[in-house]
Amino acid sequence: MEEGTVKSPGHFGGTMHEERTTAPAGDIGGAGGTDGGAADADCDYDARQWDVREGCEVRQILDRVADKWSLLVIALLDRRVLRFTELRREVDGISQRMLTVTLRQLERDGLVRRTVHPVVPPRVDYELTPLGATLHDTIQSLVTWTEEHQNEIATARAAYDARLAREQRDAPHTPQ
């Protein structure tokens, strides 16, 4: 494992502590940190430990399960078994290749089970594993939060867009 990396989000040791306490100015601080860069030494959670390391397993898993196609596939497979063609029809905008890649990755991670039935033509079914079902609960919480706050987000977006348009309109124009 690369020096300075950790095996889990709650584990700090060796050079990781040195990295955390000497973070560059303007870098993300730990949860609750207010000093503009140095993380709270007693904090168990620091997003930097998984957010910036390409080889970090947590980052790889988050990239996979937070992908829009994975989220949709997991949501569609909640408490039901679907064939590839049914999934493709249900996931608007996904290509056959992207659905294949997504399903393989989810299967590799133990979130989806693929069952090939020995019939002609072959029939392949996909379903969530028990582990995948636990992730569905988390996704459902995220969807619920989004539905509950969509009006606030729309209002914030409109205010931002209006402010940006005002700033661009009022900014001094320099000749080109």
Side-chain angles (χ1 to χ4, degrees):
M1 188 156 69
E2 181 181 321
E3 184 176 322
T5 60
V6 293
K7 292 184 179 181
S8 66
H11 175 268
F12 295 104
T15 60
M16 186 63 193
H17 180 72
E18 293 169 10
E19 257 183 67
R20 292 180 66 229
T21 58
T22 58
D27 202 357
I28 301 170
T34 58
D35 57 2
D40 179 6
D42 296 326
C43 178
D44 284 343
Y45 177 78
D46 183 359
R48 286 179 295 148
Q49 68 182 320
W50 53 261
D51 192 39
V52 297
R53 289 175 175 77
E54 283 185 30
C56 180
E57 200 168 323
V58 172
R59 173 63 184 263
Q60 292 170 2
I61 294 167
L62 285 172
D63 285 347
R64 171 105 56 254
V65 299
D67 169 80
K68 71 177 179 177
W69 302 125
S70 295
L71 289 172
L72 288 168
V73 167
I74 291 166
L76 286 168
L77 291 176
D78 181 42
R79 292 185 288 256
R80 63 182 176 164
V81 178
L82 292 174
R83 296 168 83 171
F84 183 90
T85 53
E86 293 171 318
L87 278 167
R88 176 122 190 258
R89 193 173 27 250
E90 293 287 328
V91 181
D92 188 37
I94 195 168
S95 68
Q96 181 171 333
R97 182 183 183 289
M98 184 53 68
L99 181 55
T100 299
V101 167
T102 299
L103 288 166
R104 282 184 186 155
Q105 291 171 339
L106 292 172
E107 182 181 9
R108 180 173 183 251
D109 289 342
L111 303 172
V112 168
R113 179 179 303 115
R114 177 179 183 261
T115 305
V116 179
H117 299 278
V119 294
V120 177
R123 190 178 103 214
V124 181
D125 293 330
Y126 295 90
E127 62 186 316
L128 291 181
T129 63
L131 180 61
T134 64
L135 181 57
H136 181 270
D137 295 341
T138 302
I139 292 169
Q140 188 57 50
S141 295
L142 181 61
V143 170
T144 300
W145 180 91
T146 304
E147 290 171 345
E148 290 173 357
H149 297 282
Q150 66 183 336
N151 292 336
E152 295 167 74
I153 292 169
T155 300
R157 285 177 175 177
Y160 176 91
D161 292 346
R163 186 179 74 240
L164 188 62
R166 208 173 30 255
E167 289 170 1
Q168 289 176 345
R169 185 187 65 233
D170 297 341
H173 297 287
T174 57
Q176 303 263 342

